Amino acid sequence: MTEHLNRLIKKAIELQKVGNLTEARSIYLEALQIEPDNHQLYKILSSLEYQNRDFDKSLKYIDKAIQFNKNSAELYSIKGFYLYISNKEKEAKELFEKALKLDANNIDALLNLGVILKDNNETLKAINFFDKIISLDENNYKALVNRAYIKIDTRNYQDALKDINRVLSTNKKYFNGYLMRGNIYKELKN
């Protein structure tokens, strides 16, 4: 990667961070003229279009990234997420499973597959996914919160409370955690 290309990408990333998506997009497209088979640029463009709420373009760019890097669990997981938020759960689930075949420890794929299972009331399978995430990253608040929701639904309030307390010990600004903890105490008549 040339120094000029690096400067372009850094400038575009800064513009994207501050919400100047139009100018950032232009620079990314200019960078693609220099390096048209760079899967990272397509991945970044995909995230920009997601940020811009253009899911069709997000999918188009992530597909292009996958075309250049077919063995990336990360890219399949990203595409799965885009499909999931586009209400294409079956296709999303297949991509998360594909990502996990490439990388059994892909936390995003594990989390999203766990959420799909939780939403479909496959709680034991979902908990297994959240447990695996927590074994890889003991303070992953998304896995802890999702596991706590299942424990609340199954009236396992003490274990749910442990998960929420772990979340709040490392993420004091997770305000929903305080609400969850209050509701758990209410159920425990405390």
Side-chain angles (χ1 to χ4, degrees), residues 82-133:
Y82 293 157
L83 290 171
Y84 179 72
I85 61 169
S86 299
N87 296 315
K88 296 178 181 172
E89 185 178 296
K90 183 181 177 205
E91 297 96 328
K93 188 176 177 186
E94 290 170 3
L95 285 167
F96 296 137
E97 289 167 348
K98 186 171 188 168
L100 289 173
K101 283 180 185 170
L102 292 167
D103 176 6
N105 295 329
N106 182 296
I107 288 180
D108 291 330
L110 289 165
L111 181 67
N112 288 314
L113 203 47
V115 168
I116 288 172
L117 293 167
K118 178 180 74 115
D119 290 347
N120 290 315
N121 295 316
E122 296 182 60
T123 55
L124 292 178
K125 288 181 184 176
I127 281 184
N128 288 335
F129 281 93
F130 300 137
D131 286 347
K132 180 159 185 180
I133 294 167

Side-chain angles (χ1 to χ4, degrees), residues 145 148 160-169 177 180-181 184:
V145 167
L161 187 59
K162 287 177 190 172
D163 283 347
I164 291 305
N165 284 336
R166 277 178 65 187
V167 169
L168 292 173
S169 72
M180 287 177 73
R181 186 164 61 185
I184 292 169

Side-chain angles (χ1 to χ4, degrees), residues 8-20 24 28:
L8 282 175
I9 293 170
K10 284 180 184 178
K11 182 177 180 184
I13 289 171
E14 289 305 313
L15 289 166
Q16 185 177 351
K17 281 181 184 175
V18 297
N20 189 341
Y28 288 134

Side-chain angles (χ1 to χ4, degrees), residues 2-104:
T2 67
E3 190 176 321
H4 174 66
L5 183 61
N6 279 334
R7 279 196 307 270
L8 282 175
I9 293 170
K10 284 180 184 178
K11 182 177 180 184
I13 289 171
E14 289 305 313
L15 289 166
Q16 185 177 351
K17 281 181 184 175
V18 297
N20 189 341
L21 303 183
T22 303
E23 197 171 335
R25 181 186 303 107
S26 294
I27 295 171
Y28 288 134
L29 292 172
E30 182 182 339
L32 275 174
Q33 296 299 313
I34 298 167
E35 206 168 291
D37 59 350
N38 185 320
H39 74 278
Q40 292 288 1
L41 283 170
Y42 288 107
K43 182 182 88 169
I44 293 169
L45 270 163
S46 149
S47 75
L48 179 141
E49 296 302 347
Y50 171 78
Q51 189 178 350
N52 200 35
R53 305 312 240 180
D54 190 334
F55 302 125
D56 289 336
K57 282 187 181 176
S58 293
L59 282 168
K60 177 184 131 192
Y61 285 124
I62 205 67
D63 281 339
K64 197 74 170 164
I66 290 169
Q67 179 184 333
F68 290 111
N69 190 359
K70 290 181 175 44
N71 294 319
S72 170
E74 177 191 23
L75 295 176
Y76 288 112
S77 184
I78 292 168
K79 182 177 181 182
F81 177 74
Y82 293 157
L83 290 171
Y84 179 72
I85 61 169
S86 299
N87 296 315
K88 296 178 181 172
E89 185 178 296
K90 183 181 177 205
E91 297 96 328
K93 188 176 177 186
E94 290 170 3
L95 285 167
F96 296 137
E97 289 167 348
K98 186 171 188 168
L100 289 173
K101 283 180 185 170
L102 292 167
D103 176 6

